[in-house]
Amino acid sequence: MSLRLITALSHDWEAGFATAVEGSRELTLVRRCADLADLLAVASAGLADVAVVSPEVRWLDRDAVGQLRAHGVTVVGALAPGDDAGERRLRQLGVGRTLAVTSTTEQVEDLLAGATLGDAPLAPLDFPVNFPLDGEASSFHETEPASPDGPAGPTRQTSPTGPAKPTGPGDLSDPTARNPIWPPEGAVDKGSAEAAESQPGRVIAVWGPIGSPGRTTISIGIAAEVAAAGIPTLLVDADTYGASVAQALALLDEAPGMAAAARASELGTLDLPALARLAPEVTDRLRVLTGIPRSDRWPELRASAVEHILGLARRLAACVVVDCGFSVEDDEELSYDTLAPRRNAATLAVLEQADELLVVGSAEPIGLQRLVRAVQDIGTVPSPRPRVVVNKVRAGAVGPRPERAISEALSRFAGMEDLLFVPFDPHTLDAAMLSGRTLVEHAPNTAVRSAIRAVAEACLPPEAAESRTGRRRRALARR
């Protein structure tokens, strides 16, 4: 059976390419589409196996490429000779397989024909990026630091005395320990881009039910703890209902963040330096990509753009902490219309891409009931195995010895084990919010900070934790 092709090419090359395809017995040209809308309509009708598109097609963006793939259509780019800019645009839109518009019939068959045709993997774009690794001003490539020109990032209010140094016991606060998961051994010493890119960053999704259980507090706390341990970290606010990371860290609400990154992703202009400019450092080794300023702008965060942003984020930072919205509903009415944006697409995309999932619940009767139902709901969507964090723990809401009472109740009625607890300390949290600083900076010697540090440690891979503990013991022995 021959492969069915549809094309959307520039007028200069369309006729010649159609002639080459029509000379093949293995390929069938179903339709020469005039524009993107025509291309998507034919694909949605199930009439094509492969779509060949030019980078000049109007309104071609990452979301359109995702829609074509959702209909089972492989997307192939068609490039004019020497069109390096067009090739770069297609690659940034996620199109990894390309051919020349001047190809002969045999060349087109060699590329497209076959029993199984899949999208070719994208090779990493060779872009320099500048962020510190292991205490040094290093970069992926041995080049001069990237120019800071570009969209202005958020500004932050800091204390005249500077951020407080983390103190107290705990593996993550050990300044002598080397980063356990990034970069790979020898990557910093050798200055090797290939070694650094061989191990992408780890994505930690922080999710929880409705009712303000403390998702943002836990997200900021974990990101600050990992960054304080010397690990390059990126905090992403992907909450489409009530983004608040910017306010909690005293960042400008109008500053570009996820919305600007998503828009650049759709247009094919988002690369590593652009993401780094949109996510500036607020403390040492901690970058922040702020959320949308208003909840009615949720259509801007489409699934394809969020996936692309997370893919670049893995290369920008060793640890990516994402604050998610509470809802994971996938509207069945909208699911039949792939052209419509999904209200919870950003949250669902993050959960699917995450390596670690923290489900945050509040320690009171209503919050615990919502937590149980939330863990059941999260089991119906593609996501990692959840790790439960019970936040705002206090005796006044559940009685004496609250941790024991909550553990027994959740174990008995919901089968939840290995819970992580964070005490309720409203005075410390309010003071940190008022100053626009993290607990690592504002209150390093408090119980709530120690509990969040334990949560951060639990998110590291077991081999990383063991490696860090061994190094810490050796450092203490040398003293």
Side-chain angles (χ1 to χ4, degrees), residues 8-15 54 56-57:
L9 305 175
S10 62
H11 299 294
D12 297 335
W13 308 100
E14 183 181 24
S54 294
E56 301 88 1
V57 175

Side-chain angles (χ1 to χ4, degrees), residues 141 178 477:
H141 304 280
R178 188 178 175 86

Side-chain angles (χ1 to χ4, degrees), residues 165-175 444-446 449-450 453 472:
K165 299 296 182 181
T167 59
D171 289 338
L172 282 178
S173 64
D174 177 18
N445 297 318
T446 56
R449 187 259 168 140
S450 298
R453 183 172 59 213
R472 184 170 183 267

Side-chain angles (χ1 to χ4, degrees), residues 292-372:
I292 54 178
R294 301 193 311 270
S295 60
D296 59 355
R297 295 181 61 178
W298 64 264
E300 300 180 31
L301 302 188
R302 303 204 174 194
S304 57
V306 174
E307 293 175 2
H308 183 217
I309 292 170
L310 291 181
L312 289 175
R314 290 179 183 271
R315 297 173 55 198
L316 182 62
C319 181
V320 182
V321 181
V322 187
D323 183 10
C324 303
F326 66 88
S327 181
V328 292
E329 290 180 337
D330 189 7
D331 196 317
E332 294 183 356
E333 293 182 0
L334 290 181
S335 66
Y336 292 101
D337 185 0
T338 57
L339 296 178
R342 307 288 181 84
R343 181 66 175 89
N344 304 311
T347 297
L348 294 172
V350 171
L351 294 177
E352 186 173 359
Q353 297 293 318
D355 301 300
E356 185 83 24
L357 171 60
L358 295 178
V359 179
V360 181
S362 184
E364 67 266 350
I366 296 177
L368 293 175
Q369 184 184 41
R370 289 173 174 170
L371 175 61
V372 172

